Amino acid sequence: MSARTGVTILGSTGSIGVSTLDVLQRHADRFRVVAPVSYTHLTLPTSDLV
């Protein structure tokens, strides 16, 4: 089994960031979020990110 690629998402609470998180979640066997970065909307749930 190969290691998953770690991904940093700048602007993870914006529309593009949320879409990116959705794509990464659908490909969780290949990617993992290691650093979601946000300036606003800090109340978004993060329980499923890692």
Side-chain angles (χ1 to χ4, degrees):
M1 177 162 76
S2 63
R4 295 185 297 166
T5 301
V7 178
T8 297
I9 302 175
L10 303 176
S12 61
T13 59
S15 62
I16 294 172
V18 170
S19 295
T20 302
L21 288 170
D22 180 57
V23 170
L24 294 175
Q25 185 176 23
R26 285 187 272 143
H27 298 283
D29 59 322
R30 295 172 41 197
F31 300 101
R32 66 187 179 100
V33 177
V34 295
V37 180
S38 174
Y39 183 71
T40 59
H41 305 294
L42 299 177
T43 59
L44 225 62
T46 57
S47 60
D48 293 329
L49 291 179
V50 180

